[in-house]
Amino acid sequence: MSIPQNLNHIKSSLPEHVTLVAVSKTKPVPDLMEAYNAGQRIFGENKIQEMVEKHDIMPKDIQWHMIGHVQRNKVKYMAPFVSLIHGVDNFKLLNEINRQAARYRRTINCLLQIKIAEEDSKFGMTATEASEILQSEAFSELQNIKVVGVMGMATFTDDTAQIQKEFTSLKNTFDVLKAIETPNCKLEIISMGMSGDYKLAIDCGSTMIRVGSSIFGERNYN
Ligand SMILES: *Cc1c(COP(=O)(O)O)cnc(C)c1O
């Protein structure tokens, strides 16, 4: 199927409260434009440089989401335009995002990445760490960021029960953290679910799915 067909197929199956992030990493701009012309306005990238390059040449009504691991020294490149950073997993990074957002007189929305997978390779903080950060005085001083939700990545496995357990743990963490409401923290988004598991993620409470290969086809990393 074509990119617009894939996109429409997925969108038609989504409940209204679920937002689709079209994950376009490694894909060329003409592919993204096909999705754009079919109505898609939210794109997710996992490399800052690639996102900046695409942002520079593509229409300005696109919302760019950074879904990958973020290196602190590169935040400055996306600070002028990024609309949501999914993978925030430590306070120093929040602090740098705040500093760069202030330079552009913006507020940058962030999700805290919670570690739900059993694999060691996945980034993220524990629910306790997240809770401590959100209630700290240092956090309350960050006026140019807003924490609007949580993000998680399940273990790469065929074991559906395992994935379901991990998604459910993220939903539970969200429910606990949601009680913490401050001027720069109001949790509304649960970012979980990719091409292979977004239906399960939605059943477990996801409000934002990040889908790449089911829209754009398999990625080629050569
Ligand atoms: C690549 C990526 C996705 C999309 O993966 P697909 O399996 O192609 O849908 C989602 N989330 C993150 C963090 C990614 O890096």
Side-chain angles (χ1 to χ4, degrees), residues 36-105:
Y36 179 87
N37 288 328
Q40 184 64 25
R41 291 294 181 273
I42 305 178
F43 291 86
E45 292 282 336
N46 73 338
K47 297 224 160 55
I48 292 175
Q49 187 58 40
E50 185 176 342
M51 184 171 78
V52 168
E53 286 168 12
K54 288 172 174 171
H55 164 265
D56 284 350
I57 56 178
M58 290 186 65
K60 294 299 170 273
D61 61 344
I62 291 174
Q63 295 170 39
W64 293 96
H65 287 198
M66 173 44 56
I67 63 168
H69 186 67
V70 177
Q71 283 170 280
R72 239 179 12 247
N73 61 348
K74 292 189 179 160
V75 171
K76 56 179 178 280
Y77 301 116
M78 63 176 167
F81 68 89
V82 67
S83 102
L84 181 63
I85 303 177
H86 288 232
V88 180
D89 67 354
N90 63 80
F91 180 78
K92 276 181 159 178
L93 179 56
L94 269 179
N95 199 36
E96 174 63 8
I97 296 168
N98 182 71
R99 199 170 75 90
Q100 295 298 336
R103 285 180 60 209
Y104 295 97
R105 298 172 195 277

Side-chain angles (χ1 to χ4, degrees), residues 6 47 61 63 85 101-102 109-110 131 141 157 159 185 209:
N6 291 337
K47 297 224 160 55
D61 61 344
Q63 295 170 39
I85 303 177
N109 290 333
C110 299
S131 171
E141 286 164 7
T157 172
D159 182 351
C185 174
I209 57 172

